[in-house]
Amino acid sequence: MPFSDWTHEAIRKIEADFNRSADTHLIPLDLPGYPDIRFYFKDESSHPTGSLKHRLARSLFLYALCNGWLNEKSTVVEASSGSTAISEAYFARLLGLPFVAVIPAGTSRAKIEAIEFYGGHCQLVGNPSEIYTESHRIAEEAGGHFMDQFTYAERATDWRANNNIAESIFRQMAEEEYPVPAWLVSSGGTGGTIATLGRYVAYRRHKTRVLCADPENSVFFDYFKSALAGHPDRGLSLDVGSRIEGIGRPRVERSFIPTCIDAMLKVPDALSFAAMRYLAWRLGHRVGGSTGTNFVGMLYLAEQMKAAGEQGAIVGLLCDSGDRYGNTYYDDAWYRAQGIPVEDPDAIIVRAVNGDPVFTQQAMAGLEAAGAGVGAAA
């Protein structure tokens, strides 16, 4: 079936929007405790919709259009904790399509307002595990299309080229002291970004390794460990959602591919938030909780490298701005209500950035590690 003029015009609009957008910055950060290691953050908050998910949403729309899944009468539906929905609402408005975001009820008000700003409608769900069923139902009743980021994220992005995030990182690193990073660090939401990083590194035959940092309420780490042991358990599930919005899943998503990852780290939420607060202070602007999770992973690797006498660069992702979390992650009352400690985790992060090897003492820090080069779990 030949594609319609509407489809051709929709693709043109998305490509034109891409041509109007600049690449995101790569921000260096020197840490006093690691004079021989260079730290960088790929600042994805500078996308038009403010997060890493802008890349994913663009890819998902192009994938759906080129597969013939969208037309001028489609209602676009997505299951999302916020950032992907914001970005998809942006592209739906660009194409003149209605958009419905099915999101957990605990999603920050600022994210809901951002979805609504781009013309999207939010359907809140009490149990995070029900967002998939509800998304299918709404799409079927509306005669629309469920984008299903958790299934298609890893295949919608061209991981070999087309200015994907991995290609962009290596291009921007070309004139640095260590142009080929020792490690790339990203958390896992859909699994699409971590798959892109791992595939690109393999395709370009770099010696770079990839670490995925996972929050408390997520099955990805345990699934990775089961895959390492030779019996991957896709049936793993939780009945609670992650407190780190945008990352961690209560079930094993199809886009999460453990063989694209060299190592994983399970990070306590309190440490993620402490690392987030430290970065906000050092960078001079707020970052989100997932960036804090990534930073803990970077510090853990730095301690490993320093102990082994290694030099090199570690690149992590700054996933989104912290401005959307003013009433949660940057509100003392929220931490008290959640029962999340602040002072001790803050002290651990300060010690870590000053070179005190607190994260190699995993029991003390509450971390769990698995995979190549980070002390594989038994």
Side-chain angles (χ1 to χ4, degrees):
M1 179 178 177
F3 288 108
S4 67
D5 291 342
W6 181 89
T7 300
H8 289 159
E9 179 62 8
I11 293 171
R12 185 199 65 78
K13 287 180 179 179
I14 292 174
E15 290 296 279
D17 180 81
F18 173 74
N19 286 339
R20 292 192 298 269
S21 302
D23 197 2
T24 59
H25 303 296
L26 190 66
I27 302 173
L29 180 70
D30 292 329
L31 296 182
Y34 305 96
D36 296 323
I37 299 174
R38 303 291 174 262
F39 298 83
Y40 300 85
F41 287 90
K42 182 66 168 163
D43 185 6
E44 295 293 283
S45 70
S46 58
H47 283 294
T49 54
S51 83
L52 168 69
K53 299 300 185 179
H54 194 85
R55 294 180 188 270
L56 173 59
R58 181 195 297 124
S59 295
L60 287 170
F61 267 84
L62 289 173
Y63 191 70
L65 286 164
C66 292
N67 282 334
W69 296 343
L70 289 176
N71 60 59
E72 63 267 36
K73 297 181 180 179
S74 295
T75 294
V76 180
V77 182
E78 184 59 282
S80 169
S81 63
S83 291
T84 302
I86 294 168
S87 298
E88 288 191 18
Y90 171 94
F91 284 104
R93 186 177 75 170
L94 185 69
L95 304 185
L97 300 177
F99 177 74
V100 178
V102 183
I103 61 178
T107 301
S108 68
R109 183 61 205 168
K111 284 189 175 181
I112 294 173
E113 290 174 352
I115 295 167
E116 294 173 341
F117 172 80
Y118 290 115
H121 169 74
C122 294
Q123 182 74 26
L124 273 62
V125 176
N127 185 341
S129 66
E130 295 177 356
I131 60 175
Y132 317 96
T133 303
E134 184 68 3
S135 297
H136 280 293
R137 183 191 67 78
I138 293 172
E140 184 174 349
E141 289 183 358
H145 174 63
F146 174 30
M147 296 291 271
D148 196 0
Q149 59 168 325
F150 298 108
T151 294
Y152 298 109
E154 56 88 7
R155 66 195 73 173
T157 300
D158 185 349
W159 46 268
R160 289 169 295 186
N162 195 29
N163 193 37
N164 68 53
I165 191 168
E167 181 185 44
S168 176
I169 288 171
F170 278 90
R171 184 176 64 249
Q172 291 176 321
M173 287 290 294
E175 299 301 326
E176 299 300 315
E177 184 178 0
Y178 304 106
V180 176
W183 287 92
L184 300 177
V185 179
S186 173
S187 44
T190 61
T193 297
I194 207 81
T196 297
L197 294 174
R199 288 167 173 168
Y200 185 86
V201 165
Y203 178 62
R204 292 299 182 187
R205 304 180 301 282
H206 293 307
K207 293 183 178 180
T208 305
R209 288 182 288 180
V210 177
L211 179 135
C212 179
D214 206 34
E216 278 183 29
N217 296 331
S218 174
V219 300
F220 285 167
F221 179 81
D222 290 326
Y223 176 59
F224 179 76
K225 285 205 301 182
S226 72
L228 279 181
H231 47 81
D233 185 1
R234 282 200 164 271
L236 292 168
S237 65
L238 294 171
D239 58 4
V240 294
S242 174
R243 291 184 295 194
I244 312 294
E245 288 189 25
I247 63 171
R249 301 301 306 158
R251 72 176 194 181
V252 179
E253 305 294 352
R254 283 197 279 176
S255 282
F256 183 75
I257 303 174
T259 46
C260 289
I261 302 166
D262 294 286
M264 283 198 73
L265 194 69
K266 194 170 188 70
V267 180
D269 291 349
L271 285 180
S272 293
F273 293 129
M276 173 200 77
R277 291 189 292 270
Y278 176 85
L279 279 178
W281 171 66
R282 282 295 307 272
L283 299 178
H285 61 86
R286 291 176 172 180
V287 301
S290 56
T291 303
T293 305
N294 294 341
F295 187 38
V296 173
M298 296 168 73
L299 289 171
Y300 183 88
L301 293 172
E303 289 185 4
Q304 297 281 324
M305 291 174 64
K306 183 178 179 180
E310 297 175 359
Q311 300 176 331
I314 303 173
V315 180
L317 300 191
L318 196 165
C319 303
D320 64 353
S321 167
D323 292 340
R324 293 169 177 165
Y325 308 103
N327 295 325
T328 53
Y329 302 162
Y330 288 92
D331 184 351
D332 291 342
W334 183 83
Y335 288 99
R336 291 193 295 270
Q338 296 289 323
I340 299 175
V342 173
E343 291 184 8
D344 287 347
D346 281 349
I348 289 175
I349 295 299
V350 170
R351 289 173 59 190
V353 299
N354 284 291
D356 188 352
V358 293
F359 291 132
T360 53
Q361 304 167 31
Q362 295 176 37
M364 173 191 166
L367 300 177
E368 228 186 314
V374 295

